[in-house]
Amino acid sequence: MNPTGDVALQQRNLILFSVGVMLLIIGPVMVLTVLFAWRYRRGNPNKVYDPDFDHSTTLELVIWSCPLLIIIALSAVTWTSTHLLDPFRPLERLAPGVPVPPGTKPLNVQVVALDWKWLFIYPDLGIATVNELALPVNVPVRFAITASDQFNTFYAPTLAGMIYAMPTMRSELNAVLNKPGESWGYSGNYTGRGYSDMRFKLRGVEAADFDRWVSAVKAEGGSLALSNLVDLIKPSERVPAMRFASVEEGLFDRTLNRCVEPGKPCMIDLMRRDMEADREPGRDRAHPHGGAAMRSGRAAEPLVGGKPKPALDKAPEEKGSGPNVTAPAQSDPPGALEPGSAHNRDHQ
Ligand SMILES: [Cu+2]
């Protein structure tokens, strides 16, 4: 409720307006409850008893028109603000009454929710940071957001609302900071042990200071490449801010397509291959997982190091030989072969 960005400001005003409109009903109801109890108490000296009362047009009008008007007002506001504050929609204004100057290029920032830290890649600047997000004030920022492994939520309350960060999905947020200053951004989705410390410093800086910050990051050395991204992705907690002077290209897309580990095929390639298999002549498109599809699936080239062939797509002679057959994890529970083993005792 303490915004430093225009999107968060509009969201706050929306919340205040909705609460205000709803209080128009809630307030009088609370007051009338007490008033009715007092006025119709047994000991009221000037009470009127009217057992034949059954209809009042005035009362009906009030009862029906007030909620109707409120619902109309709320739905109009919901409709317009849902479209105006659509996170995918490019910004039209920097602040109330300040339109985005024509020709302004937004700053691109790629956000990856890792376990349990935030990775920010500035593709236009060739730098990256962990748990530190610096943004120049009054410059529109376009975030592309994904997650490495767990469903998460990118939440920088002073900047904008919560945006989901989902593995294999790319969500977007267009926002702007208007005031310099520091605040915190959080993970808005419970993701396990390191969740509560998964936060980042959000730093709003003037344009000149931002250039200085970028040079400082570039001077600090350290580079982020596929090889150390693999290590960075591994779960870790309470990660201090990190800075990378250079970033290998395409890391965001590799995370998005879940092919950071060496030798792992990218999802986009697997999907392209599946689509090409779909287009093969003789494939029954209306019923893709039956009939002719099985024959074409069987004929498709196996992808090296790739997706194992699904069991239904296999010829009888191929069954039981694929890489998707796993050995049982454990043949016997511990102690099963040793009758006197401590494993067989109850734990105190
Ligand atoms: Cu079917």
Side-chain angles (χ1 to χ4, degrees):
M1 296 307 261
N2 199 2
T4 55
D6 187 50
V7 175
L9 178 79
Q10 292 177 61
Q11 289 171 335
R12 185 204 53 186
N13 294 346
L14 188 62
I15 292 171
L16 291 181
F17 175 83
S18 315
V19 170
V21 167
M22 288 185 273
L23 280 178
L24 287 181
I25 289 287
I26 295 167
V29 166
M30 303 277 249
V31 172
L32 286 178
T33 309
V34 177
L35 200 76
F36 276 32
W38 173 252
R39 179 158 179 192
Y40 297 104
R41 71 192 187 280
R42 182 191 275 250
N44 190 348
N46 41 16
K47 61 186 164 197
V48 192
Y49 181 54
D50 182 9
D52 296 325
F53 171 87
D54 68 350
H55 185 80
S56 151
T57 312
T58 327
L59 206 57
E60 291 286 329
L61 270 177
V62 170
I63 286 171
W64 286 98
S65 64
C66 288
L68 207 62
L69 288 175
I70 283 168
I71 287 167
I72 289 171
L74 281 180
S75 38
V77 168
T78 307
W79 176 268
T80 51
S81 59
T82 308
H83 286 91
L84 275 176
L85 293 172
D86 179 356
F88 281 80
R89 182 188 158 104
L91 292 188
E92 275 174 4
R93 62 176 227 195
L94 294 175
V98 188
V100 174
T104 309
K105 269 199 184 154
L107 173 72
N108 284 301
V109 179
Q110 298 168 334
V111 182
V112 186
L114 305 175
D115 287 342
W116 286 279
K117 59 257 168 195
W118 293 97
L119 169 65
F120 301 103
I121 302 172
Y122 296 73
D124 312 333
L125 307 168
I127 57 170
T129 54
V130 167
N131 286 350
E132 180 187 9
L133 173 62
L135 299 175
V137 292
N138 295 322
V139 173
V141 188
R142 189 166 61 200
F143 293 96
I145 305 165
T146 191
S148 66
D149 185 47
Q150 293 201 73
F151 198 108
N152 215 316
T153 303
F154 174 73
Y155 182 38
T158 54
L159 174 74
M162 296 183 179
I163 305 289
Y164 281 136
M166 298 165 278
T168 76
M169 305 272 275
R170 180 185 186 280
S171 35
E172 212 171 279
L173 168 67
N174 284 277
V176 61
L177 272 187
N178 300 113
K179 285 182 216 154
E182 286 193 353
S183 57
W184 287 98
Y186 307 91
S187 157
N189 218 67
Y190 180 69
T191 49
R193 220 171 48 178
Y195 152 80
S196 53
D197 293 307
M198 184 176 171
R199 46 178 107 139
F200 60 91
K201 185 149 277 173
L202 174 62
R203 198 167 276 170
V205 288
E206 300 286 356
D209 293 330
F210 183 70
D211 293 340
R212 219 169 299 139
W213 179 83
V214 172
S215 330
V217 172
K218 285 194 170 167
E220 269 180 44
S223 67
L224 185 64
L226 205 53
S227 49
N228 50 352
L229 180 61
V230 174
D231 295 326
L232 192 64
I233 278 185
K234 289 177 187 154
S236 54
E237 296 169 56
R238 294 173 182 267
V239 181
M242 293 158 82
R243 294 171 169 187
F244 299 97
S246 65
V247 188
E248 189 179 321
E249 257 184 51
L251 291 188
F252 181 82
D253 291 325
R254 289 195 83 107
T255 321
L256 184 62
N257 285 293
R258 300 181 75 82
C259 49
V260 174
E261 292 84 359
K264 203 172 168 198
C266 295
M267 275 193 31
I268 192 161
D269 298 330
L270 290 176
M271 287 192 283
R272 193 178 303 130
R273 178 176 164 270
D274 284 354
M275 273 168 71
E276 274 159 17
D278 263 354
R279 277 196 292 270
E280 271 174 37
R283 181 136 187 163
D284 179 1
R285 296 198 52 90
H287 208 167
H289 47 279
M294 290 178 77
R295 237 173 292 126
S296 79
R298 222 178 276 156
E301 283 293 305
L303 195 83
V304 178
K307 201 165 71 168
K309 207 190 244 188
L312 282 178
D313 280 1
K314 284 186 175 177
E317 64 273 15
E318 286 179 301
K319 288 201 172 135
S321 62
N324 51 347
V325 175
T326 45
Q330 198 183 19
S331 50
D332 291 300
L337 301 174
E338 300 165 72
S341 164
H343 282 292
N344 297 332
R345 289 173 187 274
D346 283 347
H347 293 283
Q348 292 295 313

